[in-house]
Every structure is written in structure tokens, then in C-alpha cells.
Amino acid sequence: MIILRAVVLGLTLTLWAGFAGAQEEPDFDAWQATAARAEQAIDANRASVRAFEDLRAEIADHRKSFLAAQDANKARINTLQSQLAALGPVPEGGEDEIVEARRSAVTEQLSLAQAPVIVAEEAYRQADVLIREIDHLIRERDREELLSRGPTPLNLTKWPSAAEHVSKAILSIGSEARLSMNTPRRRGEFIDNLPVVLLLAAIGVLLIARGGVWSERAVERLRSFGGRGAGVWSFLLSLFRIATPLLGLLALMQAMSATELVGRRGTQVLDVIPIWGAILLGLRWICERVFPKHDDDALIPLPSGQRAEARLYGSLLAILFIVHNFLVVLASYEGFSPQTEAIALFPQVVFAGLIFFRFGQILRRMPNSVPETEEKVVRRSSERVARAVGVGMMLSGLGAPLLAVFGYATLSYEIIYPMIGTAAIFALVLILQNFAADVYLLIAGKGQESRDSLIPVLVNFAVMLAAIPSLALFWGARVSDLQEAWFKFMSGVSVGGVVISPTVFLTFALVFCVGYGITRVLQGTLRSTLLPKTSIDTGGQNAIVAGLGYVGIFLASVVAITAAGIDLSSIALVAGALSVGIGFGLQTIVSNFVSGIILLIERPISEGDWIEVGGQMGYVRAISVRSTRIETFDRTDLIVPNADLISGTVTNFTRGNTIGRVIVSVGVAYGTETKRIETILKEIANAHPMVVAHPAPNIVFQGFGADALEFEIRAILRDVNWVLNVKSDLNHEIAKRFAEEGIEIPFAQRDIWLRNPEALKASDA
């Protein structure tokens, strides 16, 4: 059964993964016998699918042991190969007898060490080929069965006989019970077990009748309280709507088994009734979670009436699925003819198709819960998936009955019933995503707006990935197919002679993360504890910290590659080809990276320097791998590629020290005594605290301008970062002193000459 296979998938893969690492030594004698038997079975192609599956599982076990054996003597082989490499190639004129003897001994030891590995590799490839051939045969049989055309169910003349056959099969279950009741021994056992039967039956009826009601009341009471984490506790309590009735159903099944009146046919039915109950309860629970009674809890935005309709359709689909499986069980031990089986199963396909079509219409016409302008990415994506599922349900509802009418009964079953499972899986994914978001909000203590944050989105993606194996099983994949995919994934891929597997990747990632963390800790310790106590300037400290980061990341990468067992020599050719591509395609990035290293080593600029580049001024705030961030005086960030700082012209106003010069220009009226102006300006410059005494400020008489006598104050400042403030202070002081001394600061004056004033007088007249 499809759903049963989906339920046991997780356990199967878990057990396989657990035992994959504990392989015994390969038994090559047993393998030869298994391989010969497999080749005979494949050539004959007469074994059943179950026999082929068992044979495939046996071959897969051998293959895992062969894969593990390929790593045998790995350290010894590497050592011997290193010894041969140390001996070097054989010279043309021959070599010394001692060296030759040593080379022969090492070569013989290497051959002996490699022999088990070579045999294991050959056996592994043989097993892999046999598994692929068996999978091909099974798929061919499944395809032929799926596309085989049987009798049409519309042959009404066959309906009475089919109905009689089905009714006899159902009545035969009761007939077995009556025969057992007429047997004195069975009747005596029934009387002896009657107290246990009644107790189990009472417990079962009570749990079935009241368990769901108790759970619903608890959820409603919790909902009325509300508060933080209400969604989480409501979800957990709602699970009792499945657990308590299912326990009651199990108690009833135990009660019926304890009567000792159930025959062979009844036992086969009783064995699957708990599974049917779980399917019915699970689908009803899914519908109640996705289409709840309260508008605030709805995961899919539908009106209240359509949500009630969707809940009803979900329960009906579960019932039809159970009826279908019940008839399949009857057919398995009664031996229904193809005509009888087609007629018996046709009504379920038709009813399921009608329900699917209407269900799909509801989902297809679903309104938007939020406007497209809002950032509700997860909600909108789930609604799009729901609409897509709705379209698929509508197509399935139309196509499956038509296929059954034309005799393709198996194909119609493989469309309609897997579609039920697909819809249930998508709904369950939606429920689990909502539950994960509620758990995150409970733990993080954040508001509803945090549902679209990174962690819930990553959890949603993980839930969707986890649903893929179940979907594959619903649509015809075998458990062995998933095991094969998992085996190939765990075996890894070969890149340049190096096998990259999840184990290798996780080892590399773990070691690199540890090395990266240690590097960051050392950088933080140097930056905050050790370097501030030295006489190194801020730029030098930043360069040391950044350089330590580069070295630490490089060493972490090398150690991680070594710990993962990746042989760099094996991928040297691939790395060389990639380096050529990087050299052409990423030459700008590489140039900026190298320029960044030069900036850190040569230090023409450092963090905190005031520089001018490309007509822009500002302070260097950070020098990274690719670029340098400059904060301009407008408080904006200017990102400059490192290559521009190395190859272009850069003015560094504070390189090495903060001493700089200020120039203040001023003009006085013609006729003013120039020596007096020079004395006043020198006094003003010397009086400012930021102007150094040595060298002393210099007053320059620049010349005779068009409107004034032009002078300049040229002074050296203690800190050039204050140049604008000093310039402003000096201008204020100049204006004040010149006003006190009666010195005129002229401004441009212009005389206007009119060429034809008589024309203006005439126009006025």
C-alpha cells in the first residue's frame, strides 16, 4: 500500500544509514554465488517482483561492503607510493643493485596492498550493474502493468455477477465467524475471554466516541485563553483527535481478536483496519487544521462555507480510499476476475473524480489573503501551491474516470489515489510550516511579523525537502529507489579523481568553521587587548588584524582539506583549468584582492586617514578584500576599488602625521600700508592655538589684483583635520582687526558707460 510505504520510509532509511557504517569484511565466495544467481534470474526474467526486490536487497548489501573495502589499506598504499616516489624514476643506464632491490620490494608490497582494493572495485562495479539491470526489469514490468488495457466497467451485463461475487466475499467473513461460533472449542474460548473482550470494547467505544470531543474542548478552551504560544499548544492538543480514537480502534481490534471467532479472511481485514483508521483520522485532522471553523486559524483563505465543504470532501476522500483498499484486500484472497475487479472499483473512481473536481474548483478560485504589495512571501507561495494542487485535482478528477472507462483501470488508480496522498502531503507541509513558525515565535518571543524572517523560511524549506521522498513513493517510486538515491548521495561524486561525499564535506566544513572561529577570536583579542598597549598606530593595528585574518582563513582551509582527506594533487589539473577561467573572467576581482593585500603591507593609506581620490575627500573607514570604504564629509560612504587606490593618484593628508598647512587669502584697498597689513596678519596667525611656532607662519604679498592688494596667510597646523575650523577662525579675526584698524576690505566695483544716452532720453519723452 502506498501510504504504508510512505510511513515506513523514514524508518527504513534511518536503519540503512545506521548500519551502512558498520560493514563486515566482504565475503567474495558468497558474492560469486549471489551474482551467478542474479544473472540467471535476470536472463530468465521469470521471477516475481518480490523475488527480484529480495535479490536486489541482497546485492545492495554486498555492494556496501565492497564500497567500504575500497578504503582498506589506504594509509599503507599511500606510504608505499610515497616510497616509490622518493626512489624516483629508473635511470636509463640502470641503477644501483640496492636501489633496484628496494624498488622491487616496495613494488611487490604495493601490489599486495592494492590487490584487495582492486578486487573490491571490480565486485562493486559488477554489483552496481546487476542492481541497475534488476531496477530496469522491475520498471519495465511496472510500466507494462500501468499501461495494460483491461475490460471496461461499462459492460452492464457483467454487473450482476460482479455484485454477487463481491457480496459473497464480504459475507464469507461473517460465515467464518459463524462457523467458529459453532465450534465448541472456539465458543468456550470466547466465553473465557468475554470479560477481557467487553472491557477492551468498552474502552475502545469510549475513546472513539469521546476522545475527539475531549480534544476539541481542550483546544477551544486554550483558544479562549489565547496568549503566547497558543498556536503551539493548540497544535499539540489537536493531535489527540488522532491519538485517542486510534487507541480506541486498536482496543476494539484487540477485543475482536480476543473473541477467537475471526477466521483467516477476517484476520487479514483486521490487520489493516488500524491503518485505515489512521488514514481516516489523519486526513480528517489535516482538513480541520487547514480548513478550520474559525477564520483566524485558516491556513488557506476560504470563506466559512467553502471551508466546511472542504472538510467534508476530505473525509469522503478518505472513506473512498479505505473502501478501495478494502476491495483490494477482498480481491487478494477471493481472486476476483479482472472484469469483477474493474466493476467493483469503478464507482469509487467516479465518486473520487467528482469530489476531486469540486475540491479543485474550491482551491483554484481561492482569493488572495494579502495584497501583492505586502511582504508576505511565504503565505503567497503557499497559496500559489494550493492553487496548483487545485488544478491538478481538477484534471485528475476528469482524467481518472475516463481512463477507467476505456479499460486503463490501473492507470486511473495510479492517478486518483496518489493525488489524494499528494494533496494530503502538501496540506501537511503547510501545517508543519505554520507550527514551526509558531514554535519560533514562542522561543524568540517576537510578534507575528517575524514569521517571514530567515529561520522560519529555512525551516519551511527543510520541511518541503523532507516531503519529497513521500511524494516520490506516492507516484510510483519504490523504497529501493530512494535507498539507491541515498546510497549514491552518500557515496559522493568524483572530481578530478577525488570523491566528494557528504562525510568529506561535513568534515571539511566542521574543521574550517573551527579554524575560522579561532581566527576571529585571535583577531578580537589582538584588536581589543594586545595591540592597544603597543606603540603601533591605528592603521598598523588594523593591517595586522586583517593580515592575521587572511593567514588564518588560508591555514583553516588547508587544514580542513587535509582533514577531509582531499588529495590536492589529484585535482591539480582541474584547479589549473579553473585558475585560467578565473584569470580571464574574474581578473578585476583578483586585481582588487591583490591590491588590498598591497595596501595592508605597504600601507600608503590606513584606516582613519584623510585622503582625496577621484575628486572626492573623506576619511578611510575600512579596507576590505575587494574595496575600501571612505566616509565623505557629507557623511556618505564612498566605495573605491582597491585597484584604483594602487594605480591612481591619491592625496593622503594625514599620512604618517596630522601636520598640515592652511592658506587664508585676503585683499585690502589700494593705498593701505602693506607692512602694516603684514604685521597684523602675522599677529593673527601667531595668536591661534592650532598654528605651530616652528616653522612660523608666513605672510605673502601676492600682488596687485584688479580690485585689491592681495595677501595670504600660510601657516602650519598641529592637526590638519581642523583646517576648516582654523580657516574660519582666522577669517573672523581678520574681519574684526581690520574693522578696528580702519582697514578697508574692498569688493569689486564696476562703472557703467552708456554709449547712446540721447536715445534713452527720447524714449522717456
Side-chain angles (χ1 to χ4, degrees):
M1 293 172 56
I2 295 175
I3 292 184
L4 181 59
R5 290 190 299 173
V7 171
V8 303
L9 169 67
L11 180 60
T12 304
L13 292 179
T14 301
L15 292 176
W16 184 91
F19 289 110
Q23 298 294 329
E24 299 179 356
E25 290 294 328
D27 188 349
F28 290 101
D29 294 334
W31 162 242
Q32 293 300 328
T34 302
R37 184 158 45 89
E39 291 174 353
Q40 293 175 0
I42 292 172
D43 293 337
N45 195 15
R46 289 194 298 267
S48 63
V49 174
R50 179 62 180 272
F52 271 127
E53 289 284 5
D54 294 340
L55 183 59
R56 186 196 182 285
E58 186 177 350
I59 296 174
D61 291 337
H62 284 290
R63 185 179 62 174
K64 283 184 280 189
S65 65
F66 298 149
L67 180 63
Q70 292 179 21
D71 292 333
N73 301 329
K74 187 175 182 179
R76 179 60 176 165
I77 291 173
N78 292 335
T79 302
L80 293 172
Q81 289 175 342
S82 300
Q83 290 177 320
L84 283 178
L87 293 175
V90 179
E92 295 181 358
E95 57 184 351
D96 186 76
E97 294 181 356
I98 299 177
V99 177
E100 182 180 2
R102 184 57 183 164
R103 186 188 304 277
S104 300
V106 174
T107 303
E108 183 178 358
Q109 294 176 13
L110 181 61
S111 300
L112 291 176
Q114 289 178 334
V117 177
I118 295 174
V119 174
E121 290 178 352
E122 186 274 334
Y124 175 86
R125 290 182 173 83
Q126 184 183 10
D128 198 56
V129 170
L130 291 175
I131 286 176
R132 288 201 298 267
E133 291 181 355
I134 292 175
D135 288 339
H136 177 71
L137 289 177
I138 295 176
R139 292 193 191 99
E140 285 294 321
R141 291 189 181 184
D142 291 341
R143 184 181 62 82
E144 292 175 0
E145 182 182 0
L146 190 65
L147 299 178
S148 62
R149 187 170 181 270
T152 176
L154 297 184
N155 189 355
L156 299 180
T157 60
K158 300 293 184 179
W159 280 58
S161 60
E164 182 181 1
H165 199 173
V166 172
S167 61
K168 285 183 178 179
I170 296 175
L171 294 175
S172 64
I173 299 175
S175 300
E176 287 183 341
R178 286 194 298 272
L179 289 176
S180 298
M181 193 66 181
N182 294 329
T183 304
R185 183 178 62 83
R186 292 291 182 89
R187 190 166 54 248
E189 292 176 351
F190 170 72
I191 295 173
D192 294 338
N193 295 335
L194 187 58
V196 177
V197 171
L198 294 177
L199 178 61
L200 290 174
I203 294 174
V205 171
L206 179 63
L207 291 177
I208 293 175
R210 304 299 300 173
V213 177
W214 295 336
S215 175
E216 186 173 0
R217 287 180 179 175
V219 171
E220 289 294 331
R221 183 171 299 179
L222 179 63
R223 189 176 183 279
S224 63
F225 288 128
R228 180 180 173 185
V232 176
W233 312 125
S234 174
F235 175 85
L236 296 176
L237 288 176
S238 68
L239 294 176
F240 286 98
R241 288 187 61 81
I242 301 175
T244 51
L246 186 58
L247 289 175
L249 185 61
L250 291 173
L252 282 180
M253 295 304 101
Q254 290 296 325
M256 295 183 68
S257 298
T259 60
E260 300 292 340
L261 300 179
V262 182
R264 179 179 59 85
R265 295 180 175 85
T267 301
Q268 291 180 341
V269 174
L270 288 180
D271 290 340
V272 292
I273 283 180
I275 299 176
W276 294 342
I279 293 172
L280 177 60
L281 294 170
L283 286 179
R284 191 181 69 174
W285 175 80
I286 288 175
C287 291
E288 290 176 351
R289 298 297 300 180
V290 178
F291 310 107
K293 298 179 181 179
H294 302 283
D295 295 339
D296 296 338
D297 299 333
L299 299 182
I300 295 181
L302 291 176
S304 178
Q306 289 187 349
R307 290 203 305 272
E309 189 178 357
R311 291 196 299 270
L312 174 62
Y313 290 154
S315 300
L316 290 178
L317 286 175
I319 293 173
L320 289 175
F321 185 83
I322 292 171
V323 171
H324 173 82
N325 278 269
F326 174 68
L327 293 176
V328 170
V329 172
L330 286 182
S332 66
Y333 64 75
E334 287 293 336
F336 287 170
S337 65
Q339 182 70 64
T340 300
E341 187 173 351
I343 293 173
L345 298 177
F346 181 68
Q348 288 85 42
V349 176
V350 174
F351 291 147
L354 293 175
I355 295 174
F356 257 52
F357 188 81
R358 176 55 187 157
F359 211 145
Q361 282 184 323
I362 294 175
L363 296 179
R364 182 68 183 84
R365 300 172 183 174
M366 176 180 56
N368 290 325
S369 62
V370 293
E372 288 294 327
T373 56
E374 296 186 19
E375 294 297 327
K376 301 294 184 181
V377 180
V378 177
R379 178 62 64 87
R380 288 206 308 268
S381 63
S382 63
E383 291 172 4
R384 287 195 293 267
V385 171
R387 292 191 184 95
V389 172
V391 173
M393 294 178 75
M394 292 176 65
L395 295 176
S396 301
L398 291 175
L402 291 177
L403 290 172
V405 166
F406 289 104
Y408 295 99
T410 304
L411 184 57
S412 68
Y413 307 150
E414 293 298 327
I415 291 178
I416 198 74
Y417 293 108
M419 197 64 197
I420 297 176
T422 300
I425 286 295
F426 278 118
L428 185 60
V429 166
L430 188 60
I431 293 170
L432 293 178
Q433 288 177 344
N434 185 71
F435 174 68
D438 289 337
V439 172
Y440 173 74
L441 297 182
L442 175 62
I443 296 175
K446 299 180 179 180
Q448 293 294 323
E449 65 278 0
S450 300
R451 284 181 173 271
D452 295 335
S453 58
L454 178 60
I455 294 179
V457 170
L458 292 178
V459 173
N460 293 343
F461 182 70
V463 172
M464 293 178 65
L465 287 181
I468 292 177
S470 299
L471 291 175
L473 287 177
F474 282 135
W475 290 101
R478 311 187 327 270
V479 174
S480 57
D481 292 334
L482 300 181
Q483 291 177 340
E484 183 71 12
W486 181 256
F487 177 79
K488 294 296 184 183
F489 174 73
M490 295 299 295
S491 299
V493 295
S494 179
V495 179
V498 177
V499 178
I500 306 298
S501 65
T503 304
V504 172
F505 176 77
L506 290 177
T507 303
F508 172 83
L510 180 62
V511 176
F512 179 79
C513 289
V514 171
Y516 182 80
I518 294 174
T519 301
R520 290 305 184 198
V521 170
L522 290 177
Q523 284 182 298
T525 303
L526 284 176
R527 184 184 291 110
S528 61
T529 304
L530 183 60
L531 291 178
K533 298 179 181 179
T534 64
S535 59
I536 304 175
D537 59 278
T538 304
Q541 295 179 13
N542 293 328
I544 292 174
V545 171
L548 177 63
Y550 292 148
V551 173
I553 292 175
F554 174 75
L555 293 178
S557 302
V558 173
V559 174
I561 291 173
T562 305
I566 300 175
D567 186 6
L568 294 180
S569 62
S570 301
I571 59 175
L573 185 61
V574 178
L578 289 176
S579 64
V580 173
I582 292 173
F584 284 103
L586 302 178
Q587 54 183 341
T588 303
I589 297 177
V590 174
S591 175
N592 289 327
F593 174 74
V594 175
S595 299
I597 295 177
I598 293 174
L599 289 176
L600 292 175
I601 296 176
E602 186 180 336
R603 293 176 56 206
I605 63 173
S606 302
E607 291 187 20
D609 286 354
W610 173 18
I611 67 172
E612 179 182 3
V613 56
Q616 296 283 342
M617 284 189 181
Y619 291 101
V620 178
R621 294 307 184 195
I623 302 176
S624 60
V625 174
R626 190 196 68 84
S627 61
T628 296
R629 181 171 64 88
I630 300 173
E631 182 183 344
T632 65
F633 298 130
D634 297 330
R635 289 297 186 267
T636 58
D637 284 343
L638 180 67
I639 308 300
V640 181
N642 291 331
D644 293 350
L645 298 175
I646 294 297
S647 60
T649 301
V650 180
T651 302
N652 193 334
F653 295 96
T654 57
R655 173 77 173 103
N657 56 66
T658 60
I659 296 176
R661 188 175 68 170
V662 63
I663 298 177
V664 180
S665 300
V666 65
V668 298
Y670 275 92
T672 307
E673 185 181 353
T674 57
K675 288 296 184 180
R676 180 185 174 199
I677 298 299
E678 182 178 351
T679 302
I680 294 173
L681 293 179
K682 187 171 292 187
E683 291 175 356
I684 292 173
N686 286 324
H688 199 284
M690 289 297 295
V691 176
V692 299
H694 299 285
N698 187 25
I699 309 301
V700 179
F701 181 17
Q702 286 287 75
F704 304 92
D707 303 301
L709 302 174
E710 298 175 348
F711 289 85
E712 281 186 356
I713 300 176
R714 298 189 176 188
I716 303 299
L717 304 182
R718 305 178 190 277
D719 191 346
V720 74
N721 292 296
W722 296 87
V723 63
L724 295 179
N725 302 74
V726 173
K727 193 170 187 178
S728 177
D729 294 342
L730 293 179
N731 284 328
H732 283 297
E733 189 64 23
I734 289 172
K736 177 182 176 183
R737 286 289 304 275
F738 279 13
E740 293 174 353
E741 299 289 339
I743 299 173
E744 179 185 359
I745 300 176
F747 54 88
Q749 299 181 8
R750 298 290 181 266
D751 294 332
I752 300 176
W753 292 82
L754 299 177
R755 298 178 60 184
N756 50 349
E758 65 278 358
L760 295 177
K761 293 179 180 180
S763 63
D764 291 340

